[in-house]
Each structure stands twice: as C-alpha cells, then as structure tokens.
Amino acid sequence: MSSDGASIVRRGLMLVLSSPSGAGKTTLSRLLLEHDSGIELSISATTRPKRPGERDGVDYHFIDSARFRGMVEREELLEWAQVFDNYYGTPRAPVETSLSSGRDMLFDIDWQGTQQLVERAREDLVSVFILPPSTQELERRLVTRAQDSAEIVARRMAKAADEMSHWAEYDYVIVNREITSSLVELRAILQAERLKRHRQIGLSDFVKALRAGR
Ligand code: 5GP
C-alpha cells in the first residue's frame, strides 16, 4: 500500500467521438493524441478501400469481407456497424488490455457503434458528439477534403443530416467553431472524467493509508 497520490490505480476510460463526416473530428482526434500521452487511438477494422495517404494498421486495419465476418463470428469485435457500403468494427482485445492497465482509448466511431458500447460498457464510456458550426461550413470541409468523388460528397451531406439526429444520445456535445477551443473543451472533458471516483479504483487503499498515517 502506498500513500503516494501519484500512484493511485485508475481504470482507463473509453472516449468516443462521433460526428457527421467533415465536422472536424479527425483533426480534433489527432490533436488530442498529440497533446496527451495517456490516451491512444483504437484502430478499427474496415472493409472500405484505403484512401490516398492512409496506412494499414495506422488509420485502419484494412481487411476483406470474409475476414470481417470471421471476426464477427469469433466475437473479436466489441462493436461493429455498416456505414455507407462498408463494414467497420472495433477490435476487442486492445481495448481490454488498455483499460485494465489504466490507459484511455479514443474511438472514432459512428452512432451505431456508440449505442452498442453504451449497452456493453456504459461505466467505461464517455461519449462526445462533434457538430459543425453550419451546413455551409460542413459542405465546404467535405469539398475541400476532395478525397472522395463528387457523388460520395453528395451522399455524405445527405447522411450528415441523419447522423446529426443522434446528438442527444451523447454525454457531451462540442460545436466545432474553431479547432483550438474545441481541443481545450475536449481536454477538459477528459480531465474531469479521469477524476470520476468510480474510475479511481485505488482510492480506498490510498485513503486507508492516509488515515493510518502511512
Ligand atoms: P471513414 O470511412 O470516413 O473513415 O469513416 C466513416 C464513418 O465510420 C465515420 O463516421 C467513422 O466514425 C465510422 N467508423 C469508423 N470506424 C468505426 C468502427 O470501428 N465502428 C463504427 N461503428 N463506426 C466506425
């Protein structure tokens, strides 16, 4: 037993970010990961083709449908969903390892995946929905990104309206007007959630030692 407050054992948390595509979630995730060494990105498996610049095992595990089905059957995915024409899912093992060793995990998943995590891991879950500041800005960001064809951009705009209808299912909502202030807001959420009493599983030993004068 130790009365050193720095060594209080904590269970890691699952920080979920969802948004319509183009709301700035990917940039926000990247900045959070750069600023905070206590959180790592959950790398999803997907059947969607790789986009230019994406790396296998870094952005996603790019796999075919047969392998994806195998993972579902063996219950190796914590959650999975069909988004557009492809399948996406969260590998279970890395999440369990991280959380039990007190490290946090960041998830860039859609509302369908978030709903499954609410059912399976409510206590570990902190969910944040990112909204764009306006429809015009959302469209501008999708067009500027230009990684997808015009047809796909149009489909994503239509899909964005659907996605945004799920905002009320999240614990927190950030309107991403300006990336620096959104990052400050996101880090504040993470900071506060880390201090939740139920995550600090070493507290009772710590307080016991304090009370015993050790
Ligand atoms: P993209 O193809 O643009 O990378 O992602 C499309 C959508 O799929 C995004 O809304 C993203 O959050 C979601 N997504 C990515 N990985 C997962 C996952 O593992 N599970 C679920 N449910 N959604 C995911």
Side-chain angles (χ1 to χ4, degrees):
M1 212 182 295
S2 161
S3 58
D4 176 1
S7 62
I8 296 171
V9 178
R10 180 174 76 81
R11 180 162 167 81
L13 57 80
M14 302 166 73
L15 182 65
V16 168
L17 295 189
S18 297
S19 73
S21 101
K25 175 184 51 176
T26 308
T27 311
L28 199 52
S29 305
R30 186 176 48 75
L31 291 173
L32 179 68
L33 293 164
E34 278 171 20
H35 280 82
D36 193 320
S37 57
I39 189 161
E40 61 193 287
L41 184 66
S42 160
I43 300 168
S44 298
T46 184
T47 60
R48 111 154 139 63
K50 212 189 284 180
R51 295 194 188 117
E54 285 184 328
R55 283 175 297 162
D56 188 30
V58 175
D59 300 287
Y60 282 104
H61 300 290
F62 294 97
I63 61 175
D64 61 23
S65 306
R67 248 187 93 192
F68 194 93
R69 273 197 304 275
M71 291 181 84
V72 172
E73 278 158 21
R74 292 188 300 274
E75 300 188 353
E76 289 170 9
L77 298 175
L78 199 54
E79 61 75 35
W80 64 274
Q82 184 176 0
V83 184
F84 306 111
D85 298 327
N86 298 298
Y87 291 95
Y88 296 80
T90 301
R92 180 192 299 276
V95 179
E96 288 176 352
T97 308
S98 283
L99 265 51
S100 54
S101 51
R103 290 196 309 275
D104 303 320
M105 271 218 145
L106 179 65
F107 298 81
D108 175 343
I109 63 175
D110 79 335
W111 63 271
Q112 305 174 79
T114 308
Q115 280 187 353
Q116 293 170 53
L117 295 185
V118 169
E119 282 162 26
R120 282 165 210 171
R122 178 67 267 190
E123 285 289 289
D124 292 326
L125 190 71
V126 179
S127 61
V128 182
F129 200 85
I130 316 290
L131 286 171
S134 66
T135 308
Q136 292 88 326
E137 181 59 20
L138 180 67
E139 190 162 18
R140 194 190 64 75
R141 289 178 192 173
L142 279 179
V143 172
T144 313
R145 203 166 67 170
Q147 288 190 344
D148 296 313
S149 69
E151 187 204 328
I152 292 181
V153 171
R155 276 178 69 195
R156 282 180 183 242
M157 277 305 286
K159 189 88 181 173
D162 270 4
E163 181 81 25
M164 285 190 282
S165 70
H166 293 278
W167 67 276
E169 295 155 25
Y170 285 72
D171 300 324
Y172 298 92
V173 178
I174 293 176
V175 178
N176 186 20
R177 298 181 185 86
E178 197 274 311
I179 197 78
T180 314
S181 40
S182 299
L183 179 64
V184 170
E185 289 167 354
L186 185 60
R187 294 187 72 195
I189 292 168
L190 182 57
Q191 188 106 34
E193 288 287 345
R194 282 173 171 162
L195 295 174
K196 281 263 173 83
R197 189 184 59 229
H198 78 267
R199 298 193 211 291
Q200 302 194 65
I201 50 184
L203 265 185
S204 55
D205 281 349
F206 175 65
V207 175
K208 231 183 265 169
L210 282 181
R211 295 186 67 203
R214 272 180 275 136

